[in-house]
Amino acid sequence: MPTRPLHDLSSRSRNLAALLLVTLLPAGCFRKKADNTVNAATVVQVNAARAIGRQVAVTLSETGSFVAEESSDVAPAVSGRVIRTPVSVGAFVKAGEVICELDHRDAELKLTQYKAQLAEAQASLRQAQSRIGLGTGNFDASHVPEVAAAKATYESSAAQARLAAADAKRYANLVATGDVSQSVYEKQRTQAETAEAQANASRQQYEGALNTARQSYQAVNSSQASLEAMQAQVGQAEKALADTTIRAPFDGYVSARPIAVGEYVTTSSSVATVVRMDTLKLQLQTPEKSAAGLKVGMPVTARVAAYGDRDFTGATSALNPAVNPDSRSFVLEARFANSDSTLRPGMFASARVVLPGTENAVFVPKAAVVRDRTTDSNQIFVVDGGKAHLRVVTLGETENGSLRVLSGLTAGEMVALNKQSDLYDGASVAVQAAR
């Protein structure tokens, strides 16, 4: 096969390229012209509404978390092994309801022992009281039977001694007159001395009986003290037995129960956590610049993710007087009634605190706002001069079906309410219906 010269191939290639260019150029020029014609003729028909401006209450918007008004990590008063756990996590318990029970056999044995000792002490006290005739009144030693008998003997002996002394004196006078003999007088005098000695002996027995009665009364006091000590020990044993049954400190829900049957717990162990939920506290981290206008009792509106646009109302209850030097913020606390247990401790909330006074606010219908997930921003198309202008806005609270625009829009501007997916910045628009 004959070989063609290289210059013939190059010339043919150039001719083919020129021919192709001439063929394609009119089509490209026509397409561009047609596109321009279509773009110029595309006008998006939209519904629109004007942004409304009105006076609203001044609010402070912050975020925080709900915490229980009261939360108790219940610990046992005594150590022991768990034998029963009648409640589970999530259960509602009343104050005094059993939430855990420990092995109580040792406590019962000690209580039985102390009760027996108490009965013995009571018997000893009654015996000591009966020994001295002690009744319910004040102690009087003369009422003791032994003392009363000794006293009667002493009084009788003293009377006989006085009688014998009087007889001896009379006989002494008779001896002086010679009416009786000296021997008779001596006999009478001896009888008087004997009676005096017996009276002295009876007096000593009486005094001894008094001392014995007083000592017996002291023994009664000692027995009484022993009895009271035993009563205290019985009381402690009863408390130790009662402490083996652990009860709920107040009405609430069990949020944790970290123990199980068979575990050994001490006084530092937590057997359950009980939270009171009828009232919750919302703790808001508030910048220090807002401290001047805040006070207790201001209305607070909060929302949580679980309930969407539902508003929960409460009031400020406490302001932490100290500012965190690192974050330059302080904790503002608000209380919320929660009788139906809708809110739960730990929920994250966005809240608005209503401050004194009013301020200007701009509102638009919800349909005007488009959420751009790519830039994570809220966007609005403003219609002006037949063109759509894209605005990135910051939103506030919802009020009567309208959204408050905090920045990016002014009152009176017209905003598109539909077909935002067909719009772009600079797109031609025509308002089909305005309100």
Side-chain angles (χ1 to χ4, degrees):
M1 182 176 182
T3 302
R4 294 184 180 181
L6 294 175
H7 66 274
D8 292 343
L9 294 174
S10 299
S11 176
R12 186 176 179 180
S13 299
R14 287 195 297 272
N15 292 336
L16 290 173
L19 180 61
L20 181 62
L21 180 61
V22 171
T23 303
L24 296 176
L25 184 58
C29 293
F30 176 79
R31 185 178 295 111
K32 182 176 181 180
K33 183 177 181 181
D35 290 346
N36 289 339
T37 302
V38 173
N39 290 340
T42 301
V43 178
V44 182
Q45 302 290 326
V46 299
N47 297 332
R50 293 195 179 276
I52 304 299
R54 60 173 177 266
Q55 293 288 315
V56 297
V58 180
T59 60
L60 171 67
S61 298
E62 298 296 339
T63 59
S65 297
F66 282 102
V67 298
E69 185 177 29
E70 288 190 25
S71 178
S72 175
D73 292 328
V74 184
V78 294
S79 301
R81 192 169 304 279
V82 178
I83 61 172
R84 193 166 71 97
T85 54
V87 297
S88 301
V89 173
F92 178 79
V93 293
K94 301 287 288 183
E97 185 175 340
V98 178
I99 58 178
C100 181
E101 191 172 346
L102 305 181
D103 188 357
H104 46 69
R105 288 174 295 180
D106 289 343
E108 286 179 339
L109 291 174
K110 287 185 178 179
L111 177 59
T112 302
Q113 177 186 359
Y114 288 143
K115 282 185 175 180
Q117 294 177 355
L118 175 62
E120 183 179 352
Q122 289 173 337
S124 298
L125 176 62
R126 287 193 297 268
Q127 184 178 5
Q129 289 175 336
S130 64
R131 186 179 298 115
I132 61 174
L134 183 62
T136 57
N138 296 328
F139 173 71
D140 186 354
S142 61
H143 293 165
V144 177
E146 291 83 356
V147 175
K151 182 179 181 181
T153 301
Y154 166 63
E155 290 177 347
S156 175
S157 299
Q160 292 178 359
R162 288 193 297 272
L163 179 60
D167 289 343
K169 185 177 182 181
R170 185 172 61 256
Y171 275 95
N173 294 331
L174 293 175
V175 168
T177 59
D179 293 329
V180 296
S181 63
Q182 183 68 29
S183 61
V184 174
Y185 165 70
E186 293 294 338
K187 181 181 179 180
Q188 194 61 42
R189 190 182 67 178
T190 301
Q191 290 178 352
E193 292 174 353
T194 302
E196 181 67 24
Q198 290 177 349
N200 290 335
S202 298
R203 181 176 59 81
Q204 291 176 357
Q205 289 177 354
Y206 169 58
E207 292 175 351
L210 281 175
N211 292 332
T212 301
R214 294 189 179 101
Q215 291 174 359
S216 297
Y217 179 69
Q218 295 300 322
V220 170
N221 290 337
S222 178
S223 297
Q224 181 68 40
S226 298
L227 176 63
E228 292 174 355
M230 286 309 306
Q231 289 173 336
Q233 288 184 335
V234 169
Q236 290 176 348
E238 290 175 340
K239 181 180 181 301
L241 178 60
D243 287 341
T244 60
T245 302
I246 305 165
R247 303 179 184 274
F250 47 77
D251 295 354
Y253 288 87
V254 178
S255 64
R257 197 207 69 190
I259 51 92
V261 173
E263 291 187 31
Y264 188 87
V265 296
T266 65
T267 55
S268 61
S269 303
S270 174
V271 299
T273 300
V274 180
V275 294
R276 175 174 287 171
M277 295 177 55
D278 52 354
T279 301
L280 293 186
K281 297 184 293 186
L282 178 60
Q283 295 181 338
L284 301 171
Q285 294 292 333
T286 309
E288 63 175 335
K289 64 180 181 181
S290 304
L294 294 173
K295 61 181 181 180
V296 173
M298 288 182 168
V300 182
T301 303
R303 289 182 178 180
V304 295
Y307 297 100
D309 293 339
R310 178 178 174 182
D311 288 331
F312 297 89
T313 57
T316 56
S317 57
L319 287 80
N320 193 320
V323 175
N324 189 320
D326 297 326
S327 62
R328 311 309 308 173
S329 63
F330 64 97
V331 175
L332 173 64
E333 188 175 277
R335 274 183 167 81
F336 288 75
N338 190 39
S339 58
D340 57 355
S341 301
T342 301
L343 298 171
R344 300 182 181 182
M347 279 185 168
F348 182 80
S350 57
R352 292 184 295 114
V353 182
V354 180
L355 304 176
T358 60
E359 61 182 355
N360 293 322
V362 179
F363 290 88
V364 296
K366 287 184 178 181
V369 181
V370 178
R371 182 68 179 176
D372 187 358
R373 299 185 181 278
T374 304
T375 59
D376 194 24
S377 62
N378 296 306
Q379 299 176 353
I380 288 179
F381 284 97
V382 176
V383 178
D384 185 19
K387 299 290 184 180
H389 303 283
L390 179 63
R391 300 276 184 88
V392 177
V393 295
T394 303
L395 300 179
E397 68 276 8
T398 301
E399 184 176 305
N400 298 327
S402 298
L403 288 173
R404 181 179 178 181
V405 180
L406 300 178
S407 64
L409 189 69
T410 59
E413 290 188 296
M414 188 77 71
V415 295
L417 300 180
N418 61 346
K419 298 183 180 180
Q420 287 94 333
S421 60
D422 297 334
L423 300 179
Y424 55 90
D425 192 32
S428 298
V429 295
V431 177
Q432 185 174 9
R435 59 185 176 89

